[in-house]
Amino acid sequence: MKCQVIVDMLERLAPKRLAEEWDNPGLLVGSFQQEVKKVYICLDVSLPAAQEAIACGADMIIAHHPMIFKGIRHVRTDLYDGRLLQLLLSHDIAVYAAHTNLDIATGGVNDVLAAAVGLEGLEGLAATDEGAGAFIGRIGCLPEEKSLDEFVQQVKKGLHAPCVRVVRGNDRPVRKVALCSGAGAEFIGRAAFKGADVYLTGDVKYHDAQKAVQQEINLIDAGHFATEFPVVAVLADYLRQEAAALKKPLEVITDTVSADFFEYA
Ligand SMILES: [Zn+2]
């Protein structure tokens, strides 16, 4: 099918108008007119991911993080970004990114994260600039209360995270949980204000942890990668279903070479 048909499927799930103003979602490489038989889904278009996509015969890569953000001043093939572009263009691979629009969308990254850690009754955490019912982050409840230690184990299991960082801000049992996938430390105050017992996110710094303690909210930093990667499989299933509904052949595969950059030594 045409690349445009797949883009239409993606934008029904995560309309581009939902994206934050600074973001750069959409078709970043290739043409809406090109034929696509196989798509490859990942968080980041790295060289290893692009190489895996090529080895698998994919025609299109769908990524969460945009590989092009700002103006390109050169395409130097002795540098990483230029080499990556050369590789993609020389294999006729289209690249599409669904970033903050997919974070915000119903059924997107944050809803997938909430489901993976067992939350119910979800509401939005913070209204976006777009307003009109669009929210970044989610707040919901566990079906039954748990200790913080039990919930930490549930998060590790649900996200396949070998390790998480925990900040103890209160000793209440955990029932109400707020979360934001990726780097969400800016919403610690919002989560506390909304009465969450725990706030789950990634990319937390020392002074963010201090703020959580001062606002008496527990914090779980499960990492940027682990809080976002579950959306890859969900997006793959979504595209398979959409293609099946159109009765059009489309193969969908997912990144098996990427992992969190951080190791625990
Ligand atoms: Zn991210």
Side-chain angles (χ1 to χ4, degrees):
M1 66 180 76
K2 289 260 189 284
C3 174
Q4 177 73 64
V5 177
I6 296 160
V7 169
D8 290 344
M9 292 172 183
L10 290 164
E11 292 184 7
R12 274 197 295 278
L13 174 68
K16 263 170 71 174
R17 64 177 165 75
L18 291 179
E20 304 275 14
E21 210 179 313
W22 49 264
D23 202 2
N24 191 36
L27 189 66
L28 304 180
V29 178
S31 158
F32 289 108
Q33 300 309 320
Q34 69 192 85
E35 277 300 320
V36 176
K37 292 196 181 79
K38 197 186 257 194
V39 298
Y40 176 91
I41 305 181
C42 56
L43 288 185
D44 295 286
V45 191
S46 62
L47 273 172
Q51 280 154 352
E52 184 179 41
I54 291 163
C56 295
D59 318 285
M60 181 178 185
I61 296 176
I62 297 163
H64 181 45
H65 297 134
M67 60 175 284
I68 300 170
F69 246 113
K70 296 182 189 138
I72 295 175
R73 297 178 67 98
H74 47 60
V75 182
R76 276 185 45 189
T77 53
D78 58 330
L79 299 177
Y80 194 99
D81 291 352
R83 211 154 68 231
L84 180 58
L85 262 178
Q86 181 190 38
L87 184 68
L88 294 164
L89 289 169
S90 65
H91 288 85
D92 253 333
I93 297 187
V95 177
Y96 181 92
H99 190 209
T100 53
N101 47 325
L102 188 61
D103 290 325
I104 291 162
T106 302
V109 189
N110 280 287
D111 283 331
V112 171
L113 173 60
V117 300
L119 300 192
E120 296 178 341
L122 296 180
E123 289 175 21
L125 180 61
T128 68
D129 297 341
E130 304 306 314
F135 292 91
I136 190 85
R138 299 289 184 266
I139 185 162
C141 285
L142 295 174
E144 46 197 56
E145 64 183 36
K146 290 180 183 295
S147 70
L148 179 60
D149 292 324
E150 285 169 333
F151 183 59
V152 164
Q153 293 311 313
Q154 182 167 316
V155 167
K156 287 172 68 176
K157 201 168 161 215
L159 303 184
H160 306 288
C163 224
V164 301
R165 295 193 300 162
V166 180
V167 179
R168 273 175 219 274
N170 65 60
D171 50 16
R172 300 192 298 267
V174 177
R175 183 80 197 241
K176 205 168 182 184
V177 178
L179 56 81
C180 181
S181 58
E186 67 189 285
F187 300 117
I188 291 169
R190 180 83 195 148
F193 174 76
K194 287 229 167 194
D197 303 306
V198 179
Y199 181 53
L200 166 66
T201 188
D203 288 351
V204 169
K205 293 181 183 169
Y206 180 86
H207 288 296
D208 302 323
Q210 183 179 43
K211 188 172 173 185
V213 169
Q214 288 169 355
Q215 306 213 8
E216 297 180 9
I217 185 166
N218 297 312
L219 202 55
I220 302 174
D221 180 346
H224 196 123
F225 184 88
T227 56
E228 294 188 336
F229 197 70
V231 82
V232 168
V234 173
L235 202 51
D237 283 339
Y238 168 79
L239 288 179
R240 287 182 193 116
Q241 282 167 20
E242 290 286 301
L246 290 177
K247 298 189 168 44
K248 292 252 176 96
L250 179 69
E251 239 190 291
V252 184
I253 55 173
T254 58
D255 181 349
T256 67
V257 293
S258 299
D260 200 338
F261 296 116
F262 294 101
E263 284 179 28
Y264 299 89

